[in-house]
Amino acid sequence: MTESSQRNNPTGGSGDKSLGRRGGGDPGTRGRTTIADGVVEKIAGMAARDVGGVHAMGSGLSRTFGAVRDRVPGGGKSVTRGVKAEVGESQAALDLEIVVDYGVSIADVARDVRENVVAAVERMTGLEVVEVNIAVSDVKLPDEDEDDDEDENEQRVQ
């Protein structure tokens, strides 16, 4: 090898610079990322609750159990209530069960929920959302009070 070629290529190699690197390729593409179903369920649950006209998530039974769990110290609210996700390597499918407020257009609320959920899940996970199925399990009427028993107990105690 001549002196001038050694200056331009100090390793003395054939000129292929990739041989001198460790690992190879962009560090951001090395390895694999997996996302659990529960992660997608939380993202979807939060996104669905942000839509106006969504009163609650889940069926009456799951909301009842959730209300009991919420009263237990450390139980906290479950953001995944009413959300089921199936997550593959590059795609996700979601099933949501919602309760809407009386007087809102169910079709509009369902469309807005789909748009918000798809945008949030795709933005945060990079997964393609192939479908968002929405089941409306109830309508919250204005005169319905969810905590009737709690209000009665408070009045008796005071």
Side-chain angles (χ1 to χ4, degrees), residues 7-149:
R7 258 184 277 140
N8 293 337
N9 190 2
T11 60
S14 63
D16 184 4
K17 295 183 181 182
S18 65
L19 295 176
R21 291 187 191 170
R22 293 183 185 174
D26 179 25
T29 61
R30 296 179 198 172
R32 194 173 85 177
T33 302
T34 57
I35 300 171
D37 293 1
V39 172
V40 174
E41 289 170 355
K42 284 183 179 183
I43 295 168
M46 292 297 292
R49 283 174 174 78
D50 285 344
V51 174
V54 175
H55 178 74
M57 301 284 296
S59 66
L61 185 60
S62 71
R63 290 194 326 269
T64 301
F65 285 128
V68 172
R69 186 177 53 243
D70 293 347
R71 291 182 182 159
V72 174
K77 287 194 173 190
S78 174
V79 282
T80 61
R81 185 182 312 145
V83 182
K84 178 68 179 130
E86 293 179 38
V87 180
E89 287 187 29
S90 62
Q91 296 179 327
L94 294 148
D95 295 318
L96 281 73
E97 190 171 1
I98 65 173
V99 176
V100 298
D101 292 321
Y102 177 80
V104 300
S105 166
I106 293 174
D108 290 346
V109 170
R111 184 193 65 239
D112 293 346
V113 167
R114 272 191 192 91
E115 289 174 356
N116 210 31
V117 167
V118 168
V121 171
E122 288 185 348
R123 179 179 51 83
M124 292 180 71
T125 65
L127 296 169
E128 175 191 7
V129 177
V130 292
E131 67 180 6
V132 178
N133 298 312
I134 298 175
V136 179
S137 61
D138 202 359
V139 174
K140 168 66 170 79
L141 300 175
D143 59 342
E144 286 181 335
D145 191 13
E146 291 181 18
D147 298 322
D148 284 336
D149 295 335

